[in-house]
Amino acid sequence: MHFKLMLFCLFFTNQIFSDSGEKYLNGHDPRVDVISEKYDAGPFLIYNCKDQHYVCVMADSNKDCEDQRAQAIHEKKLEMDCAPVAEFPNKKSCFQQQLFLVSQNHGTRFCIGPDWKTKEIKFNADI
């Protein structure tokens, strides 16, 4: 009788305390990783200068961003379309960095073309 009671208690407490919450995968899960028509969630952090937001994307979107930036630099544009920020080991760490950057209100100086960053205004010191 005691053995049956012990087995019942072990089985019952196992069901109560087992984790039935949603599991977070580090790999690509199309059910939850489609952010928009443009992006799928991934470990690469980029800044979309046109829409003015950070987003964690897959490698192909990061490559597109790098290509767009290289083309804009070649054309010596004033404003870039996007800026690749960093690569992280997984999506979760990318999302944590994204949250940090948004909460700290970091600037968007990386959206300005490198040729325009070096421009300076010279003032007449004799006045």
Side-chain angles (χ1 to χ4, degrees):
M1 177 69 174
H2 292 289
F3 182 71
K4 290 180 182 179
L5 181 61
M6 183 179 75
L7 284 176
F8 175 75
C9 288
L10 285 175
F11 178 73
F12 184 70
T13 56
N14 187 26
Q15 294 296 324
I16 292 175
F17 296 115
S18 66
D19 183 20
S20 61
E22 183 179 346
K23 306 291 186 233
Y24 295 108
L25 303 172
N26 277 332
H28 181 68
D29 184 7
R31 293 178 295 139
V32 294
D33 286 346
V34 177
I35 298 173
S36 70
E37 293 177 3
K38 294 164 103 176
Y39 304 118
D40 288 343
F44 294 90
L45 182 63
I46 65 172
Y47 185 80
N48 185 326
C49 297
K50 287 183 177 179
D51 298 334
Q52 299 179 348
H53 63 83
Y54 288 97
V55 62
C56 292
V57 297
M58 297 294 284
D60 56 342
S61 296
N62 186 58
K63 178 73 172 133
D64 291 343
C65 178
E66 289 173 350
D67 293 343
Q68 289 174 2
R69 186 171 183 86
Q71 182 66 28
I73 290 172
H74 178 71
E75 295 173 1
K76 299 184 186 230
K77 288 187 176 179
L78 170 62
E79 291 191 20
M80 304 287 110
D81 292 336
C82 68
V85 178
E87 178 183 356
F88 295 92
N90 54 41
K91 292 183 292 190
K92 185 175 181 180
S93 24
C94 183
F95 292 144
Q96 289 171 340
Q97 182 66 23
Q98 178 186 16
L99 179 62
F100 173 78
L101 291 170
V102 171
S103 65
Q104 299 300 315
N105 195 19
H106 280 267
T108 59
R109 184 145 173 86
F110 40 76
C111 288
I112 300 171
D115 291 338
W116 290 90
K117 286 181 186 178
T118 58
K119 304 276 184 197
E120 65 181 87
I121 299 173
K122 296 184 180 181
F123 294 102
N124 189 352
D126 294 335
I127 298 179

